Amino acid sequence: MIATTTSHPTDMIKMRAAASEATTVLRTLANEDRLLLLCQLSQGEMSVSELEDTLEIRQPTLSQQLGVLRTENLVQTRRDGKRIYYSIADQKILSILGVLYELYCPKE
């Protein structure tokens, strides 16, 4: 159980800010394509074309969802010539994905 009582108004301000950040991340994860993209990127950096081929997400949708992930600072990019590579930008996202994997992905 998560504690919800605080002893100081400053604690409540920090708690509200943390709740806002968590809500933004959870809202972003609540899209199947974005979640699949992040799960794939949790395995390592990939180019846009690799993501498209691996996940079978069509280019317009892929670009839109990667844009959302960039805007929310969940992924970072690296350019090599004409190729753009994506990777997870924040260790917290990897932790969340790890928990989701344990809870929802089939065990082999």
Side-chain angles (χ1 to χ4, degrees):
M1 184 88 186
I2 298 173
T4 57
T5 59
T6 60
S7 59
H8 196 275
T10 305
D11 293 338
M12 183 52 75
I13 292 169
K14 290 178 184 177
M15 192 172 178
R16 192 167 289 283
S20 177
E21 182 181 354
T23 301
T24 299
V25 169
L26 292 173
R27 193 177 303 120
T28 303
L29 291 176
N31 173 282
E32 188 175 323
D33 288 331
R34 288 192 296 262
L35 185 56
L36 286 169
L37 283 164
L38 289 169
C39 286
Q40 190 63 50
L41 291 172
S42 73
Q43 304 304 304
E45 180 182 74
M46 292 184 79
S47 71
V48 173
S49 60
E50 291 170 326
L51 288 167
E52 184 177 16
D53 292 342
T54 302
L55 298 175
E56 298 178 351
I57 298 174
R58 293 173 34 150
Q59 181 62 38
T61 301
L62 181 64
S63 294
Q64 179 184 23
Q65 300 310 329
L66 287 171
V68 171
L69 295 173
R70 275 192 319 270
T71 299
E72 297 302 333
N73 298 312
L74 301 185
V75 296
Q76 57 193 7
T77 61
R78 177 181 68 84
R79 183 178 289 276
D80 184 16
K82 290 184 177 184
R83 287 194 169 203
I84 298 175
Y85 291 88
Y86 284 83
S87 60
I88 300 289
D90 188 343
Q91 182 63 39
K92 289 185 276 189
I93 299 306
L94 289 174
S95 297
I96 293 169
L97 292 171
V99 170
L100 291 173
Y101 181 85
E102 287 297 315
L103 293 172
Y104 294 102
C105 293
K107 308 292 187 254
E108 293 187 38

